[in-house]
Amino acid sequence: MTIASSTNDSQRLQLSPLTLPTRLLLGPGPSNAHPAVLQAMNTPPVGHLDPAFLALMDEIQSLLRYVWQTENPLTIAVSGTGTAAMEATIANAVEPGDGVLIGVAGYFGNRLVDMAGRYGATVQTLYKPWGQVFSLDELRSAMVTHRPRILALVHAETSTGARQPLEGVGDLCREFDCLLLVDSVTSLGGVPLFLDKWGIDLAYSCSQKGLGCSPGASPFTMGPRALEKLQNRKTKVANWYLDMNLLGKYWGSDRVYHHTAPINLYYALREALRLLAEEGIEYSWQRHQKNAEYLWENLENLGLSLHVEREYRLPTLTTVRIPDGVDGKAIARKLLIEYNIEVGGGLGELAGKVWRIGLMGYNSRPESVDQLVEALQQVLPG
Ligand SMILES: *Cc1c(COP(=O)(O)O)cnc(C)c1O
């Protein structure tokens, strides 16, 4: 019997080559990758221990330090999405029994609560309605009450569109001998963020939001105080894949094999970061702010109202209240199917109440706003 005749041809799937619609991704992420980033991703892979690839990893580290405004030696990309970098941060920072105070004012605050609990933290929470932020005084009194080892805050709460101010929080944490952990998934690249100046000890992000890249290689950084805590652990980091003791040796001078990096995604990330450095990080922040203001003005001209108070609005993500009597899901579906524009719906407390519109990375351009506003004029009831 030949091999060919032993297979059942009638079971073979016959599919046409991949075709997908081209969409303008103006939801909470992913955003469209920059064309040059997609092109970089098409470069044929080299081996992951090839000297050329190791040099590229060094470049990613330097570029990440620049966009984050930090000098932390342990600044790398985690192979995985933002959630993997989030888990890396929690897994390395938290030891069983540590008090971890988490500011919860949206979906991702809740995810931090769940994750920290799984790594044995004694979770302490501070709540606010979705769309609001914590004041320095509120954070101080919670620190006095709880005396945590770690304070975790979400800089850009993608579920609400609110920007948590961070100035002064690092000093507060030092006063209480506590580490400051920040989710910067929807802020990195698009919202002013000074890691070292603001005393942030641990941070993570993703590639597919403000960096204008495809998902899968996620920024992670750890400062000297966090590193010291890691080195003094009594228990092993409970996650092998994300253990910075091991990953640090792969990214550091030892280059010890740990896992096979997603080579092409690292190509993409390098190109996205290179473009950002070429633009200049502060110019990118200004661009995001300017285009967001243009969006807000246009939405208000359409008679729509925005969920977050202006002072705390994120330039990367805007929550728009769905007018009474309007079917938010039907409008979003029309935008997608008829206009090829993706916007997000609400989560949790805001489910059914808002649309979420992202202007992130490459998509933060006036043309994105114009395209969306023209479509909204057509689909919104007159
Ligand atoms: C998107 C997001 C994450 C998770 O990132 P993924 O890339 O989806 O895994 C975490 N935190 C915030 C604030 C986010 O917006």
Side-chain angles (χ1 to χ4, degrees), residues 11-333:
Q11 288 175 352
R12 204 198 307 173
L13 277 177
Q14 300 283 356
L15 299 177
S16 54
L18 187 68
T19 48
L20 288 170
T22 304
R23 312 274 204 212
L24 178 60
L25 302 176
L26 301 184
S31 62
N32 293 84
H34 191 291
V37 169
L38 294 175
Q39 202 179 347
M41 198 153 59
N42 278 335
T43 310
V46 295
H48 71 113
L49 294 172
D50 188 305
F53 191 71
L54 298 179
L56 177 140
M57 288 169 72
D58 288 343
E59 289 168 351
I60 288 178
Q61 290 191 279
S62 304
L63 287 162
L64 282 177
R65 288 186 196 108
Y66 167 68
V67 295
W68 247 329
Q69 297 288 293
T70 180
E71 291 183 0
N72 292 342
L74 190 54
T75 302
I76 66 168
V78 168
S79 301
T81 67
T83 307
M86 183 183 209
E87 186 136 6
T89 309
I90 295 289
N92 285 275
V94 175
E95 267 200 281
D98 282 350
V100 179
L101 176 61
I102 303 173
V104 181
Y107 176 90
F108 291 101
N110 279 323
R111 185 180 285 190
L112 279 168
V113 167
D114 187 355
M115 245 185 220
R118 288 170 192 239
Y119 284 92
T122 301
V123 175
Q124 306 149 339
T125 44
L126 190 59
Y127 288 100
K128 270 268 161 139
W130 289 35
Q132 295 184 20
V133 297
F134 301 97
S135 71
L136 202 50
D137 282 346
E138 287 165 338
L139 293 174
R140 173 175 290 277
S141 59
M143 294 288 275
V144 171
T145 309
H146 297 291
R147 306 261 158 191
R149 295 293 315 274
I150 300 168
L151 169 64
L153 293 172
V154 180
H155 186 209
E157 194 28 280
T158 323
S159 61
T160 69
R163 177 187 55 82
Q164 170 64 50
L166 295 171
E167 293 92 328
V169 183
D171 289 341
L172 177 69
C173 285
R174 272 157 188 75
E175 201 182 313
F176 286 83
D177 194 22
C178 162
L179 296 177
L180 176 57
L181 185 164
V182 170
D183 178 318
S184 65
V185 174
T186 300
S187 59
L188 186 63
V191 185
L193 176 57
F194 300 90
L195 232 66
D196 289 358
K197 196 157 92 185
W198 290 352
I200 297 166
D201 299 293
L202 292 140
Y204 57 89
S205 191
C206 77
S207 47
Q208 77 275 13
K209 296 183 187 174
L211 301 183
C213 184
S214 285
S218 301
F220 167 96
T221 188
M222 193 172 209
R225 297 166 79 232
L227 201 56
E228 193 187 328
K229 185 175 191 299
L230 174 65
Q231 282 157 353
N232 292 330
R233 284 180 73 105
K234 289 179 195 70
T235 56
K236 275 190 174 180
V237 172
N239 186 313
W240 191 91
Y241 188 60
L242 300 171
D243 182 348
M244 287 300 147
N245 293 300
L246 307 175
L247 277 171
K249 287 188 187 136
Y250 176 44
W251 283 83
S253 51
D254 302 0
R255 304 294 187 177
V256 178
Y257 165 69
H258 180 263
H259 68 282
T260 307
I263 315 274
N264 294 62
L265 279 169
Y266 282 26
Y267 292 171
L269 181 61
R270 181 207 182 267
E271 180 61 13
L273 292 168
R274 186 193 72 77
L275 288 166
L276 203 47
E278 188 176 78
E279 178 179 14
I281 189 71
E282 64 277 47
Y283 292 101
S284 176
W285 296 336
Q286 284 167 20
R287 171 170 57 86
H288 280 81
Q289 185 65 30
K290 222 173 107 199
N291 291 320
E293 285 175 10
Y294 180 53
L295 172 71
W296 302 339
E297 187 190 312
N298 271 281
L299 292 172
E300 280 166 349
N301 286 344
L302 287 175
L304 297 166
S305 61
L306 307 182
H307 179 66
V308 177
E309 199 185 322
R310 192 175 179 106
E311 188 183 349
Y312 302 115
R313 255 178 232 162
L314 281 172
T316 43
L317 190 113
T318 299
T319 36
V320 190
R321 296 216 178 107
I322 298 169
D324 284 343
V326 170
D327 182 344
K329 264 193 187 155
I331 296 283
R333 191 167 166 76

